[in-house]
Amino acid sequence: MHEDFPSSSLGTFCAFSPFYRPLERSSEDVDIIFTRLKEVKAFEKFHPNLLHQICLCGYYENLEKGITLFRQGDIGTNWYAVLAGSLDVKVSETSSHQDAVTICTLGIGTAFGESILDNTPRHATIVTRESSELLRIEQKDFKALWEKYRQYMAGLLAPPYGTPLIEPHVPLRPANTISKVPSEKILRAGKILRNAILSRAPHMIRDRKYHLKTYRQCCVGTELVDWMLQQTSCVHSRTQAVGMWQVLVEDSVLNHVDQEHHFQDKYLFYRFLDDEHEDAPLPTEEEKKECDEELQDTMLLLSQMGPDAHMRMILRKPPGQRTVDDLEIIYEELIHIKALSHLSTTVKRELAGVLIFESHAKGGTVLFNQGEEGTSWYIILKGSVNVVIYGKGVVCTLHEGDDFGKLALVNDAPRAASIEDFNRILRDVEANTVRLKEHDQDVLVLEKVPAGNRASNQGNSQPQQKYTVMSGTPEKILEHFLETIRLEPALNEATDSVLNDFVMMHCVFMPNTQLCPALVAQYPFVPSQGTEQEKMDYALNSKRRVIRLVLQWAAVYGDVLQEDDVAVAFLEEFYVSVSDDARMIAALKDQLPELEKIHKVLLQQFNTGDERAQKRQPIRGSDEVLFKVYCMDHTYTTIRVPVAASVKEVISAVADKLGSGESLIIVKMSSGGEKVVLKPNDVSVFTTLTINGRLFACPREQFDSLTPLPEQEGPTVGTVGTFELMSSKDLAYQMTIYDWELFNCVHELELIYHTFGRHNFKKTTANLDLFLRRFNEIQFWVVTEICLCSQPSKRVQLLKKFIKIAAHCKEYKNLNSFFAIVMGLSNVAVSRLALTWEKLPSKFKKFYAEFESLMDPSRNHRAYRLTVAKLEPPLIPFMPLLIKGNSKETHRSSQGGRMIANTARTVRYCRSQAFNPDAAQANKNHQDVRSYVRQLNVIDNQRTLSQMSHRLEPRRP
């Protein structure tokens, strides 16, 4: 199935549509494609000029699972890059597809097919492993690119077209050694830091004596860490500073006096490269001035490189020498690797103890030969590896994130581990697994794990063990939790997290119609064996455990239970049962007040008084909404339906108003004219519209005639005259107040409904939808205001204004608006305005570069994760990234529920402290600032914005 434009997981490639084939693409089309492709891993190393040409000639393809792209021996006609999905590479010794063997899998970011340069036969058969999206370039276009951009492409293609497989005169570096040839930028960073120390704290570099031996011109590790923490706000911990100094150690710009390769925060001696020589010169006044100007940029560079260097340092240690902290750092990386999500926590922790770092020189290292017995499993951290078949040459190139050496194992981890270690880990896990079977089927699978963290068990010869649920039937999982809940408050910390995960996720596999009867059945349970006293004690504890679970269930679901008749009826019945028992059983009286409070809250209606008017309330599915639904002639009818109404109910309401409902369909239309016919069982469709999107109702035969409303185009005049008079800090503050209101209304359950589809639960995600739409609104606000500003000097002022607002949002820990503004400034319609950016003062360019570095997607957005880890609540997270990994497919795995539960825990943590607006700051703000940030009027059509941008600054010849 070859298509020019099906829907893409990368976002809408509107310029790839059949109406905009390569020869018909305008400059604006190319800008839109360029913006999308810049975010794709396959193209992150491509030179911008080369990527721009690819945008002019590339085709988009969407292939179903099992499609053969080409066969071994075919003469190729196209080059491909994988945008989504994966493809199997199969090779046959006899060139027959019947006996072809899969030798590797190509994932997102890989490219293949360069044999079209010389018309050599394909060395392998390529078959889609799953539904996949590809970018295709025809042979004539690819050859033209090769001729024009050979110098850029040589390092991106596999031999013999790209970098040679073995380069002469390049010595191979042993796996665990450090480079002795420092890069220019690290050499410069070392010089800046040395000069800064000599200028600000010259006593740190001096001759040191230890054990009757004198070490010339040395620093002490602990002092270096102390000093770095004092110099910049971008260094928040000693561990972070250690990683930054390790960058210099790896490049031999800073050396341990005994040539050890690990920087340590200890009383150990280190010497800068410049001080290796006798009578090293002191910095001149000019050098001191340069040092002051460049120090913060140097710190920023090292803070970005530090985490990787620290990880390499840990992984170079022999596994037996890794500390508890080392293992936790490795484990923290492993849990963010998507491909490892199906492995248990125990396996990941064990992997942290055996993974080994390997580094190989550019070109030439043969890790193993065809036919050899495999001894290791490898996954690529950086660089690429060629897969060579004797007599056939390079059949494919594996890149960062691909694995090889043991195809049946997981991929995407950044190291090599021995097969023996991995098999041992799997055997140990199986040995610690308990399986309960009924009728030869697993109904409950438990895994034995250490109770508590490693640090708490350190020094104990026999650490406590507990069993954690891996999988099972809902009924058996519920029984297990009811049997293992610890009733003593001090012992509940470890249990709460796992129990909370079950309570949070139960709606996916055990809806209330199933859970409530099961709880009713468990509450009066009395065992059939034992003395009367034993039976009474057991029954009492069983009741207390059920009450405990019900209390936690009600706490997690909160007001949502009001909308569920089954839940409300159960809680009424359950409250009566516990109240009756409490009259006779004194031990139950303590838990009755909590149940009574929940009972009252659920049965009373929301207060409609002043409190509700003053404080934004979450939107409930049962809340009614007045909404306009438009007709083909742009007239509209206003309907009143519940927020969670289905499309079928919307059609019925529209039909009642129009007097006819024959063959009506509901269409969601964006400002750019993209139309989507909604399915009858879709729910809560009003909040899923784009910023300027509208709902249309029409007979199916009129679908093609629908056009957007003029009002959907957005404003024609900017508001710079209004908000340029407002303080950047005031704007950021009021934006944060509004964003917090929206974020605080998002129920954790909406994350689940969003992931698995609200129509499957017939629930609304209105609060989450509005919060996500706010991100897009702010992003397009930035682009709209800049593109509507015709005066170059005013545009420069706008850039400065938005950078200031972003800085204040970051200060207020409003990361959602912070990233929205930065992404708005990164939008191609803004970033291409070279003449405007050239006039921006260097100070603001540095701020913007620092902001962009936090958006670095490498290592699963590690830069962002490290930043958030340092912040205390209350804070507003970058929501689109937070929910990015919560795909429906991911959560079908045994670890999937835990991943989405972790997301819910993150949201809970961010809101664990109340956001209390500063009264002085709030009073200082005028009402017009508050009103302005809540009523942004924007253009959300990327094509329109690109056209406006080109009118402001036409493309240079």
Side-chain angles (χ1 to χ4, degrees):
M1 181 182 72
H2 291 226
E3 298 177 15
D4 286 297
F5 177 55
S7 61
S8 167
S9 64
L10 299 167
T12 304
F13 272 89
C14 56
F16 270 120
S17 87
F19 304 105
Y20 292 92
R21 301 185 186 281
L23 291 177
E24 301 170 13
R25 289 177 192 157
S26 66
S27 297
E28 293 78 16
D29 298 333
V30 173
D31 282 348
I32 294 169
I33 302 171
F34 185 85
T35 300
R36 298 287 193 272
L37 292 188
K38 270 201 312 184
E39 302 169 359
V40 179
K41 181 180 175 183
F43 301 105
E44 62 186 11
K45 295 180 181 178
F46 279 45
H47 189 280
N49 292 345
L50 172 58
L51 186 55
H52 185 269
Q53 292 300 314
I54 288 175
C55 294
L56 289 170
C57 63
Y59 290 86
Y60 174 84
E61 291 201 359
N62 186 8
L63 304 177
E64 297 173 348
K65 177 181 178 180
I67 298 295
T68 299
L69 208 61
F70 52 75
R71 295 189 181 279
Q72 184 176 336
D74 288 351
I75 300 299
T77 57
N78 294 283
W79 177 84
Y80 300 90
V82 184
L83 304 178
S86 58
L87 302 93
D88 285 333
V89 179
K90 301 186 176 188
V91 173
S92 167
E93 292 297 327
T94 64
S95 296
S96 171
H97 68 274
Q98 283 88 354
D99 60 1
V101 176
T102 300
I103 61 169
C104 64
T105 300
L106 305 177
I108 297 172
T110 53
F112 56 96
E114 47 265 37
S115 64
I116 60 174
L117 288 172
D118 55 12
N119 290 321
T120 55
R122 301 290 199 189
H123 298 311
T125 298
I126 307 291
V127 181
T128 53
R129 185 185 185 88
E130 58 187 315
S131 179
S132 302
E133 300 172 27
L134 307 176
L135 181 78
R136 173 174 61 88
I137 297 180
E138 294 179 343
Q139 185 179 37
K140 60 179 176 52
D141 294 320
F142 193 76
K143 283 185 174 181
L145 291 176
W146 173 253
E147 291 301 322
K148 188 173 182 180
Y149 297 100
R150 187 187 298 256
Q151 73 274 26
Y152 299 141
M153 299 176 71
L156 304 171
L157 304 184
Y161 315 101
T163 305
L165 188 59
I166 299 179
E167 294 186 355
H169 313 302
V170 179
L172 295 184
R173 180 155 33 98
N176 288 320
T177 62
I178 307 294
S179 168
K180 295 295 180 185
V181 183
S183 68
E184 286 297 324
K185 64 181 178 181
I186 301 304
L187 198 62
R188 180 63 181 168
K191 188 177 290 292
I192 294 295
L193 292 179
R194 174 182 178 270
N195 289 346
I197 290 173
L198 288 171
S199 175
R200 303 178 181 193
H203 64 279
M204 288 177 57
I205 301 178
R206 67 179 190 271
D207 292 350
R208 311 269 182 169
K209 286 188 177 181
Y210 188 73
H211 284 191
L212 304 179
K213 185 176 179 180
T214 300
Y215 297 88
R216 291 186 51 263
Q217 295 297 93
C218 293
C219 307
V220 171
T222 51
E223 292 180 5
L224 288 173
V225 172
D226 290 338
W227 180 83
M228 186 168 278
L229 284 166
Q230 295 166 6
Q231 303 309 307
T232 176
S233 60
C234 73
V235 182
H236 301 270
S237 68
R238 302 189 74 84
T239 299
Q240 185 185 4
V242 166
M244 294 165 70
W245 286 117
Q246 178 64 24
V247 174
L248 301 185
V249 171
E250 283 193 343
D251 267 40
S252 302
V253 173
L254 182 73
N255 296 301
H256 185 271
V257 293
D258 291 334
Q259 300 305 307
E260 291 186 10
H261 300 312
H262 305 155
F263 181 87
Q264 298 185 63
D265 185 8
K266 295 182 179 179
Y267 191 81
L268 299 175
F269 298 155
Y270 296 89
R271 185 183 294 120
F272 282 98
L273 183 61
D274 285 349
D275 290 318
E276 298 281 354
H277 311 290
E278 295 281 349
D279 302 321
L282 295 174
T284 65
E285 289 303 316
E286 182 64 28
E287 286 175 327
K288 287 181 180 179
K289 184 179 178 183
E290 290 178 356
C291 156
D292 287 338
E293 292 176 351
E294 295 183 42
L295 182 60
Q296 293 307 314
D297 286 346
T298 298
M299 291 291 192
L300 178 60
L301 170 69
L302 294 177
S303 69
Q304 293 166 356
M305 302 176 70
D308 279 344
H310 194 210
M311 176 69 76
R312 289 190 294 269
M313 180 183 78
I314 293 171
L315 289 164
R316 283 190 175 100
K317 295 181 184 180
Q321 294 180 16
R322 293 172 190 167
T323 66
V324 171
D325 289 339
D326 292 341
L327 295 175
E328 283 300 313
I329 288 171
I330 301 172
Y331 171 72
E332 281 298 319
E333 287 301 309
L334 297 184
I335 62 176
H336 291 290
I337 294 172
K338 197 172 182 180
L340 297 181
S341 61
H342 68 287
L343 293 181
S344 70
T345 298
T346 301
V347 172
K348 291 171 190 169
R349 288 197 177 278
E350 292 293 339
L351 279 175
V354 300
L355 296 173
I356 301 168
F357 177 79
E358 291 196 3
S359 176
H360 299 283
K362 179 182 178 183
T365 305
V366 178
L367 292 172
F368 52 80
N369 289 303
Q370 187 175 342
E372 291 180 350
E373 183 178 354
T375 59
S376 294
W377 160 54
Y378 297 88
I379 295 174
I380 302 167
L381 168 63
K382 201 170 187 179
S384 59
V385 173
N386 294 315
V387 178
V388 181
I389 301 295
Y390 293 153
K392 295 182 172 62
V394 178
V395 296
C396 66
T397 301
L398 305 177
H399 299 277
E400 180 180 325
D402 293 327
D403 80 309
F404 59 97
K406 198 172 193 296
L407 293 175
L409 295 181
V410 297
N411 63 5
D412 221 12
R415 320 290 169 217
S418 73
I419 298 303
E420 289 76 12
D421 279 330
F422 201 94
N423 288 336
R424 174 187 59 76
I425 291 170
L426 294 181
R427 286 196 301 271
D428 289 347
V429 170
E430 190 58 36
N432 287 312
T433 300
V434 176
R435 299 177 184 274
L436 176 64
K437 292 182 178 287
E438 291 182 358
H439 308 294
D440 293 327
Q441 298 290 324
D442 287 341
V443 293
L444 186 64
V445 180
L446 306 174
E447 182 186 11
K448 187 194 296 181
V449 297
N453 58 38
R454 290 172 179 262
S456 66
N457 291 329
Q458 195 177 16
N460 295 341
S461 57
Q462 291 183 335
Q464 292 183 330
Q465 302 287 321
K466 69 174 183 178
Y467 284 93
T468 183
V469 176
M470 298 300 294
S471 61
T473 63
E475 293 78 10
K476 289 300 178 185
I477 293 176
L478 176 62
E479 286 180 21
H480 170 75
F481 279 122
L482 290 174
E483 288 173 0
T484 56
I485 291 175
R486 305 294 293 270
L487 296 173
E488 302 88 340
L491 298 175
N492 281 331
E493 184 178 350
T495 307
D496 279 349
S497 175
V498 181
L499 178 60
N500 199 74
D501 289 354
F502 169 79
V503 170
M504 169 65 64
M505 297 298 298
H506 84 81
C507 60
V508 176
F509 52 86
M510 193 179 193
N512 287 339
T513 53
Q514 192 176 350
L515 175 67
C516 293
L519 289 172
V520 169
Q522 288 290 330
Y523 180 73
F525 178 74
V526 178
S528 58
Q529 297 179 344
T531 65
E532 288 302 314
Q533 186 61 43
E534 288 172 339
K535 290 180 181 179
M536 288 178 62
D537 290 343
Y538 189 92
L540 172 61
N541 286 332
S542 294
K543 290 175 186 288
R544 291 177 64 196
R545 290 189 181 102
V546 174
I547 293 171
R548 167 90 200 288
L549 189 147
V550 169
L551 288 173
Q552 188 149 352
W553 173 62
V556 169
Y557 276 63
D559 295 336
V560 173
L561 293 178
Q562 283 184 312
E563 303 176 42
D564 192 317
D565 294 340
V566 172
V568 171
F570 161 73
L571 284 168
E572 287 186 28
E573 179 185 346
F574 189 72
Y575 174 71
V576 171
S577 298
V578 176
S579 298
D580 290 343
D581 287 345
R583 295 192 186 97
M584 297 177 288
I585 307 173
L588 296 181
K589 288 183 179 179
D590 292 342
Q591 293 172 298
L592 195 59
E594 290 184 73
L595 269 178
E596 188 173 6
K597 183 169 30 171
I598 292 169
H599 183 252
K600 287 181 178 178
V601 169
L602 286 175
L603 294 184
Q604 71 182 12
Q605 296 298 315
F606 271 126
N607 192 336
T608 57
D610 292 339
E611 183 181 351
R612 179 172 172 83
Q614 292 174 6
K615 184 180 178 183
R616 185 184 183 91
Q617 296 293 317
I619 298 171
R620 297 174 297 168
S622 58
D623 290 344
E624 291 193 332
V625 59
L626 279 171
F627 209 83
K628 294 178 181 178
V629 179
Y630 293 86
C631 301
M632 192 183 70
D633 60 359
H634 291 181
T635 59
Y636 64 86
T637 181
T638 303
I639 62 172
R640 181 189 293 272
V641 291
V643 171
S646 67
V647 168
K648 186 176 180 180
E649 292 170 313
V650 171
I651 291 175
S652 176
V654 171
D656 286 344
K657 287 289 186 110
L658 296 179
S660 172
E662 282 190 41
S663 71
L664 275 183
I665 57 173
I666 298 295
V667 179
K668 186 162 60 173
M669 183 181 294
S670 72
S671 59
E674 291 85 10
K675 295 175 284 191
V676 177
V677 178
L678 299 176
K679 299 175 182 176
N681 64 338
D682 285 342
V683 296
S684 190
V685 295
F686 308 109
T687 57
T688 62
L689 294 172
T690 55
I691 300 169
N692 292 332
R694 298 290 186 270
L695 280 188
F696 284 75
C698 69
R700 187 171 294 276
E701 61 270 16
Q702 293 180 0
F703 173 78
D704 293 334
S705 303
L706 290 177
T707 58
L709 304 167
E711 68 184 53
Q712 289 184 252
E713 295 177 6
T716 56
V717 179
T719 60
V720 61
T722 301
F723 82 91
E724 71 177 345
L725 302 176
M726 301 174 183
S727 154
S728 298
K729 190 168 187 177
D730 291 350
L731 284 163
Y733 190 76
Q734 288 296 338
M735 288 168 69
T736 301
I737 290 176
Y738 185 44
D739 288 0
W740 178 263
E741 290 178 11
L742 294 172
F743 175 53
N744 205 38
C745 286
V746 177
H747 199 290
E748 294 167 17
L749 288 171
E750 293 187 67
L751 301 170
I752 299 174
Y753 303 152
H754 176 85
T755 300
F756 291 95
R758 10 176 208 274
H759 60 279
N760 291 318
F761 303 91
K762 297 182 180 177
K763 300 289 186 181
T764 182
T765 57
N767 302 290
L768 178 59
D769 294 338
L770 291 178
F771 187 46
L772 291 173
R773 187 158 70 183
R774 175 64 174 175
F775 180 89
N776 292 329
E777 188 176 60
I778 293 174
Q779 183 182 176
F780 281 116
W781 168 56
V782 173
V783 187
T784 298
E785 293 297 339
I786 292 174
C787 288
L788 284 174
C789 184
S790 59
Q791 294 177 283
S793 59
K794 287 279 190 183
R795 285 203 300 278
V796 175
Q797 292 304 313
L798 272 175
L799 289 180
K800 291 168 62 177
K801 186 86 170 181
F802 285 125
I803 290 172
K804 285 181 182 178
I805 295 172
H808 287 303
C809 284
K810 187 168 177 280
E811 176 190 344
Y812 292 132
K813 295 184 285 190
N814 181 358
L815 299 181
N816 204 61
S817 283
F818 167 76
F819 278 104
I821 293 171
V822 175
M823 289 185 71
L825 294 171
S826 305
N827 186 289
V828 68
V830 176
S831 63
R832 65 167 299 278
L833 298 172
L835 297 176
T836 305
W837 285 94
E838 284 172 6
K839 296 175 183 176
L840 186 69
S842 59
K843 179 177 73 171
F844 286 91
K845 289 178 180 176
K846 287 181 180 179
F847 276 129
Y848 179 62
E850 179 184 341
F851 296 164
E852 274 202 315
S853 70
L854 294 176
M855 296 174 61
D856 180 7
S858 63
R859 305 286 186 275
N860 195 29
H861 297 271
R862 180 197 269 165
Y864 169 77
R865 289 191 283 113
L866 291 175
T867 299
V868 173
K870 300 163 193 163
L871 299 178
E872 296 291 331
L875 65 99
I876 305 174
F878 179 17
M879 201 64 178
L881 179 60
L882 193 61
I883 64 174
K884 178 182 175 184
N886 291 333
S887 67
K888 186 175 180 180
E889 288 71 21
T890 300
H891 297 298
R892 285 173 179 160
S893 68
S894 61
Q895 299 292 306
R898 295 178 189 178
M899 288 179 66
I900 197 168
N902 282 336
T903 302
R905 268 193 290 275
T906 300
V907 169
R908 197 175 311 136
Y909 172 76
C910 293
R911 302 190 299 209
S912 60
Q913 297 293 325
F915 177 78
N916 295 313
D918 182 349
Q921 182 75 23
N923 292 334
K924 177 182 153 187
N925 285 277
H926 298 292
Q927 181 64 31
D928 55 351
V929 181
R930 181 180 186 275
S931 300
Y932 178 82
V933 300
R934 293 170 183 249
Q935 298 173 12
L936 300 177
N937 194 12
V938 305
I939 299 169
D940 66 348
N941 185 340
Q942 184 65 49
R943 186 180 303 283
T944 300
L945 292 168
S946 289
Q947 290 169 347
M948 293 165 64
S949 173
H950 279 273
R951 285 196 293 270
L952 292 175
E953 291 186 20
R955 187 186 303 278
R956 293 177 179 177

